[in-house]
C-alpha cells in the first residue's frame, strides 16, 4: 500500500501515455484520493487497487488480467520485472484509461463503459481497455543493450526508457492493433467506424509521415485521434506487407536506442528503407484498400452542416429549425454552439471537455 500511495502522488509528475480520447479538463478527476478506503487485489502479475465498494469490478478485472498477460507478453516478447499496478477510478463518467512506466509500471482505468463513438463495439469493455493499457506497459517498458545497463545502474529514470520517445502513432497504433481481434470482432481496428474515418481520409488525401509524427495526440481537424487511426492501419500494413514478426521487430528496434527520435534508422534497419519511403508504401496500401471500399459504396450527395473542427458532436434539433451541438477545434476552449434556422453559427457558452447535452424549449 505504501508503494501504491507514492504512485498516486507522483502520477501527475511522470510521463503519461493517455490511451483514449476525451480526457477531463480538470486533471484532479484523474487523481485517486489516497485517503479513501483503498484495497488491493493481487494476482500473479498485477496489483489491482480499488475502493472497497468496487470489489466485484476488481474481481472481474482480475479474471481478465492474467488472461491478457498470458496472451500479450509472448507477442511483445517482454515481461515486466515486477507486478504492474492497476488503479480503478470512478471519479469521471468517461470511458478511458492511461498508462505510464515511470516511476514504475502502472495504469488506470475508468469504470464507465462506452455508450457511443469509436469505442462502442461488442468487445467486453474490461478486456478491451485492459489489453490496450497493458500493451502500452509492455511496449514502453522495453530496453536492451546500453539502455538496460543504464537502468540497472541509475534506476528507472527518463532516458533509460527509449520507447517513450516513440511518436504517438507508434505507441497508440500497436495498442489498438493488439486490442483488435478480427475473429472475435473485438476492438477498434475491425470496426466499421474506423474504416469510415479512413475512407474520409482517402477522400481528403492521406497524412504525411511528418504530419503524423509531429502533430501530437489530437491535431486540430477531424478525425480526432488520428494517431490511433493511422497507427493501427500502419501495423496492419506492416503485417500484410512484411509479416507480423517484422512488424514487432520494427517496434523492438528502438530498445537499445540512445539518441531519441531516430525514425530513419528504425525503418532502414528493419526494412532497408528510410521512413518516408516506408510511409509511401503505407499510403499506397491505404489507397488500394480504401479505393476498393469506395467503389463498392453508393455515391451519396450531401452538404456539410458544420465546417472544420476536430469534434462536432451530439446535435440536438429544435422545432423552430435551430440546433445545438458540441464543438472542439483544438485551438479554442470547447464550446456549446447553436446554428439558427438561417444557418448562422454562434457560441452559447464554453464547456468543460466533451459534454452530452439536452435542450428544453
Amino acid at each position: 500500500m505504501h508503494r501504491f500511495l507514492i504512485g498516486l502522488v507522483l502520477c501527475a509528475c511522470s510521463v503519461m501515455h493517455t490511451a483514449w480520447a476525451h480526457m477531463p479538463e480538470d486533471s484532479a478527476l484523474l487523481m485517486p484520493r489516497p485517503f479513501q478506503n483503498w484495497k488491493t487485489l493481487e494476482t500473479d502479475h498485477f496489483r489491482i487497487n480499488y475502493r472497497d465498494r468496487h470489489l466485484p469490478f476488481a474481481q472481474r478485472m482480475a479474471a481478465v488480467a492474467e488472461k491478457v498477460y498470458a496472451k500479450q507478453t509472448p507477442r511483445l516478447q517482454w515481461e515486466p520485472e515486477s507486478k504492474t499496478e492497476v488503479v480503478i477510478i470512478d471519479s469521471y463518467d468517461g470511458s478511458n484509461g492511461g498508462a505510464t512506466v515511470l516511476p514504475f509500471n502502472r495504469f488506470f482505468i475508468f469504470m464507465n463503459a462506452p455508450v457511443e463513438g469509436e469505442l462502442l463495439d461488442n468487445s467486453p469493455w474490461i478486456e478491451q481497455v485492459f489489453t490496450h493499457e497493458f500493451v502500452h506497459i509492455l511496449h514502453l517498458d522495453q530496453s536492451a543493450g546500453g539502455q538496460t545497463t543504464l537502468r540497472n545502474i541509475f534506476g528507472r529514470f527518463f532516458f533509460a526508457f527509449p520507447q517513450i520517445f516513440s511518436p504517438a502513432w507508434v505507441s497508440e497504433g500497436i495498442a489498438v492493433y493488439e486490442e483488435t481481434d478480427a475473429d472475435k470482432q473485438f476492438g477498434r481496428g475491425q470496426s466499421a467506424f474506423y474504416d469510415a474515418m479512413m475512407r474520409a481520409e482517402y477522400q481528403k488525401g492521406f497524412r504525411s509521415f511528418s504530419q503524423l509524427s509531429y502533430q501530437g495526440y489530437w491535431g486540430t481537424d477531424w478525425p480526432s485521434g488520428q494517431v490511433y487511426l493511422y497507427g493501427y492501419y500502419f501495423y496492419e500494413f506492416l503485417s500484410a506487407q512484411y509479416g507480423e514478426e517484422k512488424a514487432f521487430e520494427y517496434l523492438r528496434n528502438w530498445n537499445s536506442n540512445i539518441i531519441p527520435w531516430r525514425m530513419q534508422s528504425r525503418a532502414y534497419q528493419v526494412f532497408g528503407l528510410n521512413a518516408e519511403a516506408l510511409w509511401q508504401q503505407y499510403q499506397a496500401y491505404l489507397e488500394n484498400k480504401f479505393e476498393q471500399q469506395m467503389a463498392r459504396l453508393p455515391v451519396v450527395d450531401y452538404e456539410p452542416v458544420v465546417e472544420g473542427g476536430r469534434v462536432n458532436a451530439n446535435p440536438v434539433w429544435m422545432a423552430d429549425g435551430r440546433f445545438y451541438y458540441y464543438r472542439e477545434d483544438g485551438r479554442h476552449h470547447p464550446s456549446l454552439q447553436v446554428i439558427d434556422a438561417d444557418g448562422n453559427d454562434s457560441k452559447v457558452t464554453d464547456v468543460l471537455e466533451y459534454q452530452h447535452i439536452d435542450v428544453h424549449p
Side-chain angles (χ1 to χ4, degrees), residues 2-293:
H2 176 69
R3 188 167 180 260
F4 169 59
L5 292 177
I6 292 174
L8 296 183
V9 174
L10 293 174
C11 185
C13 304
S14 61
V15 176
M16 179 70 71
H17 272 253
T18 53
W20 305 77
H22 302 305
M23 302 300 290
E25 181 168 296
D26 184 358
S27 61
L29 293 175
L30 302 179
M31 300 292 289
R33 276 59 170 177
F35 301 108
Q36 291 176 332
N37 191 9
W38 286 91
K39 305 290 185 181
T40 300
L41 179 60
E42 294 203 38
T43 71
D44 289 344
H45 300 100
F46 299 94
R47 289 166 45 88
I48 300 173
N49 302 280
Y50 63 97
R51 292 179 62 186
D52 56 349
R53 65 186 183 185
H54 298 145
L55 175 60
F57 189 91
Q59 290 172 328
R60 293 199 302 274
M61 183 174 287
V64 166
E66 292 302 327
K67 180 172 69 172
V68 171
Y69 187 96
K71 178 182 178 182
Q72 294 300 331
T73 51
R75 285 182 61 78
L76 276 85
Q77 297 184 21
W78 188 259
E79 293 191 52
E81 291 184 350
S82 58
K83 291 186 178 183
T84 299
E85 300 281 348
V86 184
V87 184
I88 297 172
I89 303 178
D90 70 343
S91 58
Y92 174 60
D93 289 335
S95 305
N96 216 317
T100 183
V101 294
L102 298 173
F104 50 83
N105 294 333
R106 70 188 185 278
F107 59 88
F108 68 84
I109 290 175
F110 292 130
M111 293 178 64
N112 200 53
V115 295
E116 65 176 13
E118 66 185 64
L119 298 180
L120 185 61
D121 59 20
N122 65 344
S123 306
W125 168 241
I126 296 178
E127 183 174 348
Q128 183 183 7
V129 68
F130 197 99
T131 298
H132 187 105
E133 300 305 336
F134 186 53
V135 167
H136 279 316
I137 297 298
L138 295 179
H139 169 215
L140 301 175
D141 190 48
Q142 294 191 22
S143 69
Q147 293 287 43
T148 299
T149 301
L150 286 175
R151 197 183 298 185
N152 290 337
I153 296 172
F154 298 105
R156 299 176 69 88
F157 82 108
F158 194 75
F159 282 101
F161 289 81
Q163 292 286 1
I164 67 175
F165 297 102
S166 299
W169 62 264
V170 173
S171 55
E172 295 301 344
I174 191 60
V176 176
Y177 183 81
E178 288 300 292
E179 85 184 34
T180 299
D181 187 325
D183 293 334
K184 294 181 179 179
Q185 296 185 318
F186 284 178
R188 283 173 282 187
Q190 56 78 46
S191 70
F193 192 68
Y194 252 42
D195 273 0
M197 287 195 294
M198 196 54 98
R199 286 196 298 270
E201 291 292 279
Y202 165 83
Q203 291 180 304
K204 292 190 300 183
F206 295 119
R207 318 275 167 153
S208 70
F209 174 77
S210 296
Q211 280 178 294
L212 259 292
S213 296
Y214 295 109
Q215 76 159 17
Y217 264 79
W218 304 121
T220 57
D221 62 344
W222 191 88
S224 178
Q226 294 156 20
V227 294
Y228 299 81
L229 181 69
Y230 277 85
Y232 165 75
Y233 283 110
F234 181 79
Y235 284 100
E236 181 186 272
F237 150 70
L238 290 184
S239 297
Q241 184 87 355
Y242 295 99
E244 195 170 68
E245 178 50 40
K246 277 290 185 181
F248 283 109
E249 184 182 341
Y250 176 81
L251 192 73
R252 293 190 298 269
N253 181 260
W254 262 18
N255 284 355
S256 58
N257 194 29
I258 295 177
I259 302 175
W261 304 298
R262 296 181 64 189
M263 296 298 292
Q264 298 291 354
S265 61
R266 187 178 207 167
Y268 190 81
Q269 290 169 9
V270 179
F271 302 108
L273 301 169
N274 63 37
E276 284 82 5
L278 184 63
W279 196 264
Q280 288 171 3
Q281 286 190 356
Y282 172 41
Q283 289 179 319
Y285 170 84
L286 294 176
E287 188 87 20
N288 180 62
K289 178 184 178 79
F290 291 100
E291 183 178 44
Q292 293 182 40
Q293 286 193 16

